[in-house]
Amino acid sequence: MQSIKALEKDPYFRLKLIFLCLSVAVVVSIVYVTVVYKMAADIGTTTEFDATMTEARNLQYVIDTHSLAIAEDRVGDILTRHYSQSPSENDITYGFLLLNSPSPFSFSNLPPDKLHPILDKTSIMQEVNDKGITVIEGQQYVWVHLKSNANADILFIKSAKSISLAVDYITRRLIITSFITFWIAVWLALFLATWMNNKVQTKNNALAHIATHDALTELPNRLYLFSICRSEIQDLIAKQSIDHEQKIGAIILIDLNNFKEVNDTYGHHIGDAVLINFAKRIQHVLSSSEILIRMGGDEFVIWGKELDKLSSLSLSENIRIACHAPLIISDLSIEINPSLGISLLFQHANDLDNLMTYADLAMYQSKSNHLGPVVYNKTLSESYLYEAKLRGDLLDAIQKEQIFLLYQPKIELASGKIIGVEALARWNHPIEGVISPIHFIPLIEKSVHIHKFTRYVIEKSIIQAKEWLALGIETTIAVNISPYNLLDGDFARDIEALLKEHQVPVSVLEIELTETAMMNDISSTKSSLQTLRELGLSIAIDDFGTGLSSLSYVSQLDANIIKIDRSFVMDMDTNNHNLAIIEAVIGLSNRLKWEVVAEGIETKEQLTTLSTLGCQYGQGYYFERPLSKQDITSLLEENKQFPN
Ligand code: C2E
Ligand code: MG
Ligand code: MG
């Protein structure tokens, strides 16, 4: 499962930004100050060197162009004029010496205790035509050593004042500039950090919204459920461990029953509008502690952190009431009919995944049994597990021939004679025992085995018919097929091949197809049934009355037998409505020359009423329950006639 952790807000994001901007400002300021300081020191040094060198060259010129005695006086004059003999604090100290000279004269205002260490230091490094700076006792001295062109070399030493002057000057200004720059940087950092923080957080919020919401309905989506609701569930569990009374929290799973038809009939744009309007209706009945989530398609979930069993049921009821009025979309009136399944935190599960599974099982139960809201209970899981187990054993059932057939006689009501049988499948499961088709047929229909299964039942029936023919028994066998068989293009050809293989006439076989099954795809049902009719097979419309088709629709289907559903026969003696329907069906079928079979005759009264109404054929426990191969063979052999 994806996580939205990556999109969660960083509470320190702005602080981090400020810190980053300030760090950059400080680093830039330090680099700036260092560079400027260095430049100032370099400028001071260069200026000092240039000035000292010019002075030294002038003195050298005097030495070179005069005799030593005159040069000594002249140089002495110049130096005493420019530099005082006994310097005060602010005066420049200097030293002037002739080297390699017959006359060792020198001038200096430096006391000997200073001059000698300077000479010691400078002489080591001295080369002719050299210059440099030497630091002695914290004081910088610039010295120039020039080669004489005539009389003698000179060494001129001077305390370097302009270096410290330049540095002092720049430093004063630098402190002020740095202070101003730093404050500008601080404000800029604050402004930039706030601006960027707002920009990034706005984008982040937008991204988080997109990731956790459904684009169509604007509702939170499954990512929201599995991250935000999941953590709310964990909080409730943590709270419950402290406050043991607190046992609340529920998931309500909602699925729209007829949504596929809406999409198929009116198109996806109407389907979308249905979902949007449905979501709006539900939101109106929710309180602020309940949240509606769209899981995808027509599946919605409500997570209510304050819901318990009673309030979940009453909320579900309110949802159903909110859905009573049809939705009006583009002048269409569309019915919405939700199925609701409820699972409760603490009572059913302590984690979201299981809560979802259980709510799904409950919802499935609500949908398949056309019930109102269903609260999960353990038996739902048990039946689900049972189904899952049977599903796993289906292939074995066919391959190991665990499926066997029972036969229920079809009686001509007027004579009481058996005119045919209906083959009804049973599964002899090695562990579960004999399983009814109402349990395993829906599972087979949902699996890929349905084609193999029907072919198996038809072949077994054909073989049975052949055995009876060999015994001189001529009777029809009706086989139930699934609507999915009609989608198989080879279905009719396979039946034909089986009949040929076992040399059984086609008139022996009847095909029964439930009315609801035929409604799925009208045009393809029609053409598949036509192919079967062209083969010469009889087609019966089974469980007639339970679907939505009209007699006129059925008349287009080329069927020749109508089997009235057991539910009409069951209470025809007390329910005038059902009696009227049976009467109408029989009347019309007789006129259209269809055979009518009444299913589920259990009493003499029912038989009498049906006979009076003109029903030709009947089936039911009143005559016989579905019988084993041996029992039905005996009945057929003795040509049993039932009382009428
Ligand atoms: P159906 O085709 O409508 O079969 C009639 C069902 O009603 C049978 O149930 C039968 O035992 C039952 N029945 C007959 N008379 C009475 C009566 O008087 N009272 C009551 N209460 N029930 C009666 P069964 O054998 O359990 O079959 C149930 C359904 O399973 C069948 O309904 C049919 O739709 C399906 N089915 C059975 N065998 C097959 C098969 O081989 N293939 C397919 N696709 N479906 C099958
Ligand atoms: Mg049937
Ligand atoms: Mg039936």
Side-chain angles (χ1 to χ4, degrees), residues 422 424 480 512 542-543 563 599:
E422 178 177 4
L424 295 160
N480 294 283
E512 290 193 10
D542 206 350
D543 301 348
K563 293 185 82 174
E599 292 187 287

Side-chain angles (χ1 to χ4, degrees), residues 273-314:
V274 166
L275 292 174
I276 293 168
N277 286 289
F278 170 72
K280 278 185 191 154
R281 278 204 190 170
I282 305 295
Q283 272 176 312
H284 274 128
V285 296
L286 298 184
S287 75
S288 58
S289 65
E290 288 134 19
I291 184 148
L292 179 66
I293 293 144
R294 183 178 174 217
M295 297 298 283
D298 60 345
E299 198 175 87
F300 294 82
V301 161
I302 292 170
W303 158 239
K305 57 183 170 200
E306 287 173 11
L307 289 176
D308 57 11
K309 186 175 177 179
L310 273 180
S311 52
S312 300
L313 278 168
S314 97

Side-chain angles (χ1 to χ4, degrees), residues 49 52-53 56-57 122-133 142-147 154-156:
F49 262 134
T52 312
M53 185 59 91
R57 285 204 196 288
T122 54
S123 62
I124 304 162
M125 300 169 282
Q126 270 181 47
E127 275 181 28
V128 179
N129 286 340
D130 199 2
K131 60 181 180 180
I133 293 180
V142 178
W143 51 263
V144 174
H145 181 194
L146 293 177
K147 171 109 184 102
I154 63 167
L155 176 63
F156 184 52

Side-chain angles (χ1 to χ4, degrees), residues 354-377:
N354 277 321
L355 280 173
M356 286 297 291
T357 309
Y358 295 154
D360 200 37
L361 281 173
M363 190 280 290
Y364 188 72
Q365 182 79 356
S366 153
K367 189 183 270 269
S368 48
N369 295 355
H370 303 283
L371 297 169
V374 171
V375 180
Y376 167 78
N377 62 65

Side-chain angles (χ1 to χ4, degrees), residues 405 408 422-426 436-438 440-441 445 450 453-454 457 479-482 485 512 514 542-543 563 565-566 599-602 619-622 624-626:
L405 298 178
Q408 188 177 35
E422 178 177 4
L424 295 160
R426 298 287 182 269
S436 155
I438 49 170
F440 71 83
I441 296 286
E445 286 184 335
I450 184 62
F453 171 77
T454 306
V457 171
V479 178
N480 294 283
I481 67 162
S482 158
N485 297 128
E512 290 193 10
T514 57
D542 206 350
D543 301 348
K563 293 185 82 174
D565 190 63
R566 186 160 62 84
E599 292 187 287
I601 303 174
E602 291 188 359
Q619 235 178 294
Y621 294 172
Y622 177 71
E624 280 297 350
R625 288 178 175 254

Side-chain angles (χ1 to χ4, degrees), residues 379-554:
T379 46
L380 289 182
S381 297
E382 280 161 4
S383 66
Y384 176 78
L385 289 175
Y386 176 71
E387 273 194 12
K389 189 189 161 343
L390 288 192
R391 232 178 278 137
D393 296 340
L394 277 179
L395 190 62
D396 261 10
I398 302 163
Q399 278 174 351
K400 295 187 180 162
E401 302 217 351
Q402 293 167 357
I403 306 284
F404 66 96
L405 298 178
L406 292 184
Y407 302 90
Q408 188 177 35
K410 207 159 75 167
I411 316 295
E412 188 180 34
L413 300 186
S415 62
K417 281 186 178 166
I418 302 173
I419 48 101
V421 296
E422 178 177 4
L424 295 160
R426 298 287 182 269
W427 179 1
N428 190 10
H429 192 279
I431 297 163
E432 306 292 336
V434 175
I435 303 172
S436 155
I438 49 170
H439 290 126
F440 71 83
I441 296 286
L443 300 184
I444 294 190
E445 286 184 335
K446 275 185 233 154
S447 77
V448 290
H449 309 305
I450 184 62
H451 302 290
K452 209 181 243 183
F453 171 77
T454 306
R455 199 181 180 283
Y456 173 87
V457 171
I458 290 176
E459 183 163 23
K460 286 274 168 212
S461 304
I462 290 174
I463 292 170
Q464 185 57 63
K466 192 178 177 180
E467 278 179 34
W468 285 336
L469 283 172
L471 293 172
I473 302 166
E474 268 186 47
T475 188
T476 58
I477 300 188
V479 178
N480 294 283
I481 67 162
S482 158
Y484 302 100
N485 297 128
L486 296 180
L487 302 175
D488 175 10
D490 293 335
F491 186 56
R493 227 173 307 136
D494 278 356
I495 296 179
E496 194 180 15
L498 284 171
L499 287 166
K500 225 181 231 162
E501 184 188 333
H502 296 285
Q503 293 167 330
V504 170
V506 69
S507 55
V508 160
L509 206 59
E510 252 174 46
I511 296 292
E512 290 193 10
L513 187 65
T514 57
E515 187 201 357
T516 36
M518 295 181 313
M519 287 298 289
N520 286 347
D521 185 348
I522 297 163
S523 57
S524 74
T525 307
K526 227 169 149 177
S527 70
S528 306
L529 288 182
Q530 206 169 350
T531 324
L532 292 173
R533 281 292 280 157
E534 280 160 13
L535 260 184
L537 290 165
S538 284
I539 307 284
I541 307 300
D542 206 350
D543 301 348
F544 187 81
T546 53
L548 298 164
S549 54
S550 64
L551 275 174
S552 74
Y553 164 68
V554 172

